[in-house]
Amino acid sequence: MIHPALRAYQTVTETSLTGREAEAVCFRMLIDELEAANQSADSQVRSRALDRHQRLWSMIMKANILDNGLTVEEDRRLFVRLADQAQKYGIQAILDPEMSLVPLIEIAENVLAGLEMAPGGKVQGSSALA
């Protein structure tokens, strides 16, 4: 007989997200928010989406600047470069409300596509949260 605490733990671990899945969910949410903001005339919607965009990329940059031994240097450099480009364009979009958010959406979609690739280069099945 399985102890109730072990059964509860197994249930939680079976339904919890991996780090990669959680990152994919974040990028899906960002894409949805940026797409809505790109089509909205409401400046508050745009401002909120760009603020979240900037914060997400800031966290990604901070996480990849320092070598934690988990990510190869080439990948870290790529993420820092992507974060830098996304944030620079994001700042321009904050200052110019007429700028399209499509380039930011495309960067996020490219990262999401990479996150959804299985280690062998195969696309993983979609998450229940998608």
Side-chain angles (χ1 to χ4, degrees):
M1 177 168 179
I2 297 176
H3 190 276
L6 180 56
R7 186 176 305 122
Y9 177 77
Q10 287 174 332
T11 301
V12 168
T13 57
E14 288 172 1
T15 60
S16 65
L17 297 175
T18 65
R20 190 178 189 111
E21 290 169 335
E23 290 167 353
V25 168
C26 288
F27 275 96
R28 278 189 211 101
M29 291 170 54
L30 177 65
I31 291 165
D32 290 345
E33 194 164 7
L34 288 171
E35 286 175 339
N38 199 45
Q39 297 187 16
S40 176
D42 186 345
S43 63
Q44 294 291 338
V45 171
R46 182 181 174 95
S47 178
R48 190 170 32 254
L50 286 169
D51 178 59
R52 289 193 179 132
H53 170 270
Q54 295 297 95
R55 285 190 284 148
L56 175 63
W57 281 108
S58 177
M59 289 187 309
I60 291 169
M61 184 178 278
K62 285 178 188 173
N64 284 283
I65 286 174
L66 300 175
D67 183 7
N68 60 8
L70 299 175
T71 308
V72 294
E73 185 175 344
E74 183 180 333
D75 291 345
R76 286 187 14 249
R77 287 180 189 265
L78 173 64
F79 275 113
V80 169
R81 191 170 46 250
L82 274 174
D84 182 56
Q85 291 171 352
Q87 287 185 303
K88 283 179 181 176
Y89 190 93
I91 291 168
Q92 291 173 341
I94 289 168
L95 297 174
D96 181 357
E98 299 300 315
M99 281 183 75
S100 172
L101 301 182
V102 170
L104 299 179
I105 295 166
E106 290 174 349
I107 290 172
E109 287 173 338
N110 288 334
V111 172
L112 177 60
L115 289 169
E116 290 177 335
M117 293 295 289
K122 298 177 183 171
V123 176
Q124 295 178 350
S126 61
S127 160
L129 297 176

